[in-house]
Amino acid sequence: MSRITLCDARGLLNWLAAFKRFLRKKNPWMPIGRLIATVTLGTYQTTAELRQALEAGGHRIGDCAGVVLAKTPISKKQAELDLYEVAVKELGFENGATRQDIYRRVMELGFTVVPAEAGSLLQLALSNHANGEWRLIGMEPLTGRGGGPRVFSVARDGHGSWLHASYGGADDVGDPDDRWVFGRAK
């Protein structure tokens, strides 16, 4: 009896995802996700230091994001993490999808949920992103203001660069144009 390795399984899942795109009359070999930044986890020793770096960089922190940031675990060791942006419709969800469905699909494609710390580090790395851009962070939700589950989002609007927190419930439904950020298994 032969054994299927993790690489074989991942390749099979990628082929299956490509076949599904073909059946939907999409380009089956279109790469999914775009590398947008590499961040270094463990750069800051505490959430207070991370918050100070955000504020010193001119980034605003929403009230709910401040609560989530205070609860964010900080990595003890430094490690680089590549962050990829994936649009919900790229995942085959033309009418939007729940956070739970999005996470399931990206994991099938070889992406990983990132530590919450990565959301703040991404905001620091994207200090010049365009006005109107925002991205949700594919992290395990943390309890935000009011007790609900929240994930970070990084954004820029007419009032500047923001770290927000929202959309943390497993059944929260996102728009097909929503962009999420995940890591890629190496």
Side-chain angles (χ1 to χ4, degrees):
M1 191 165 17
S2 66
R3 299 176 74 194
I4 295 179
T5 66
L6 181 58
C7 267
D8 294 336
R10 205 171 264 141
L12 183 60
L13 288 172
N14 286 338
W15 184 89
L16 184 58
F19 184 66
K20 287 178 180 178
R21 285 192 298 277
F22 170 77
L23 292 174
R24 289 190 306 270
K25 298 182 180 173
K26 304 281 182 182
N27 178 359
W29 306 114
M30 165 186 82
I32 292 180
R34 178 176 71 91
L35 178 66
I36 58 169
T38 300
V39 298
T40 304
L41 302 171
T43 301
Y44 301 94
Q45 294 187 5
T46 66
T47 56
E49 286 181 14
L50 186 50
R51 183 182 188 104
Q52 185 178 19
L54 285 163
E55 290 171 345
H59 305 285
R60 297 172 180 224
I61 301 169
D63 291 341
C64 191
V67 171
V68 173
L69 181 59
K71 297 176 181 182
T72 298
I74 300 294
S75 300
K76 301 294 182 214
K77 295 180 184 177
Q78 288 195 354
E80 283 193 345
L81 176 64
D82 290 336
L83 299 176
Y84 290 81
E85 173 183 87
V86 180
V88 172
K89 63 184 167 193
E90 276 185 283
L91 299 171
F93 300 115
E94 297 294 327
N95 298 315
T98 65
R99 185 186 61 78
Q100 182 177 354
D101 288 338
I102 292 166
Y103 282 27
R104 184 174 19 83
R105 179 71 51 84
V106 296
M107 288 182 185
E108 289 171 358
L109 296 171
F111 293 97
T112 60
V113 172
V114 298
E117 174 185 7
S120 302
L121 295 172
L122 178 61
Q123 185 66 313
L124 290 169
L126 295 180
S127 58
N128 294 324
H129 55 146
N131 193 31
E133 279 189 339
W134 63 280
R135 297 167 176 96
L136 295 152
I137 306 302
M139 58 184 256
E140 288 302 325
L142 296 171
T143 304
R145 197 173 181 189
R150 299 285 185 256
V151 298
F152 283 126
S153 60
V154 296
R156 176 172 291 283
D157 64 16
H159 300 288
S161 176
W162 285 90
L163 181 67
H164 289 293
S166 59
Y167 285 110
D171 295 326
D172 285 348
V173 177
D175 189 77
D177 291 323
D178 286 350
R179 295 180 295 165
W180 285 81
V181 175
F182 293 94
R184 171 83 73 182
K186 293 186 179 187

